[in-house]
Amino acid sequence: ESAPTPRAALPERAAESNHQATAEGLITRVNLRWEDIGGLAETKEAIRLNFALGLVQAPPGVAIQPTRRTLLYGPPGTGKTMLAAAMSNELDATFFNARIPDLMSQYFGESSKLLSALYATAAVHAPSVIFLDEIDALSRQRGGGQESGAERRLLNTFLGELDGLQNK
């Protein structure tokens, strides 16, 4: 009775059914383990160590802040998606595999609504790993005149959603 209301159930966060259905469609079932990834030993170890700190029982008087966000960067084909999928399996989490260009819409405000629906759906399916591929499509220099209004709104929504994760 006193449990907090999931973010997706809050009226101001409620997404239209088609947005939520689209977000649900981004759930990917991948049976990939760390051992299935050849190479990248240092990267895998760093990821494991970061997330293991959040799973251990802290000694009395010691506060351990678990990692909630990880940025994987590099050129295409370097294993970022595989690492995220293996991380979700290791954490027994729901894996959302989304490409930023797929979230972009030609209609006003739709991209931001879809991204918000993605985060709301991930909160319902928590624990979750959201893998946003091609994030560089959002990360153009602000004020350079190159970004459209839709890209600017989507970037603002994305940054707001990341900031909201701190309170989870």
Side-chain angles (χ1 to χ4, degrees):
E1 293 176 334
S2 64
T5 306
R7 288 171 36 132
L10 298 175
E12 65 272 9
R13 301 279 307 176
E16 296 176 20
S17 62
N18 60 337
H19 293 124
Q20 201 137 24
T22 301
E24 292 275 347
L26 296 173
I27 295 175
T28 305
R29 307 268 185 247
V30 181
N31 190 15
L32 190 65
R33 299 175 321 215
W34 291 118
E35 299 81 35
D36 298 332
I37 301 173
L40 302 174
E42 289 179 25
T43 305
K44 292 188 291 188
E45 189 60 32
I47 292 171
R48 275 191 228 147
L49 179 62
N50 280 333
F51 283 95
L53 286 176
L55 300 174
V56 298
Q57 180 70 32
V62 176
I64 297 176
Q65 274 301 80
T67 299
R68 295 182 159 261
R69 299 174 206 99
T70 299
L71 175 65
L72 303 173
Y73 64 94
T78 55
K80 297 178 296 290
T81 306
M82 289 176 52
L83 287 167
M87 184 186 327
S88 72
N89 280 342
E90 191 78 15
L91 297 171
D92 196 24
T94 306
F95 182 56
F96 290 84
N97 189 4
R99 293 179 57 243
I100 292 296
D102 294 340
L103 298 176
M104 299 296 285
S105 174
Q106 63 182 348
Y107 300 109
F108 182 81
E110 290 298 304
S111 299
S112 293
K113 289 178 185 176
L114 185 54
L115 187 61
S116 292
L118 172 61
Y119 276 87
T121 303
V124 170
H125 290 280
S128 300
V129 171
I130 301 174
F131 180 72
L132 296 172
D133 200 10
E134 301 178 27
I135 194 81
D136 55 331
L138 289 181
S139 60
R140 296 188 180 143
Q141 183 176 355
R142 286 185 172 186
Q146 297 175 344
E147 75 272 358
S148 69
E151 288 173 337
R152 194 170 31 254
R153 282 187 302 277
L154 188 58
L155 177 59
N156 289 337
T157 302
F158 171 67
L159 294 174
E161 292 292 348
L162 279 181
D163 191 38
L165 289 177
Q166 291 180 3
N167 300 326
K168 295 239 172 247

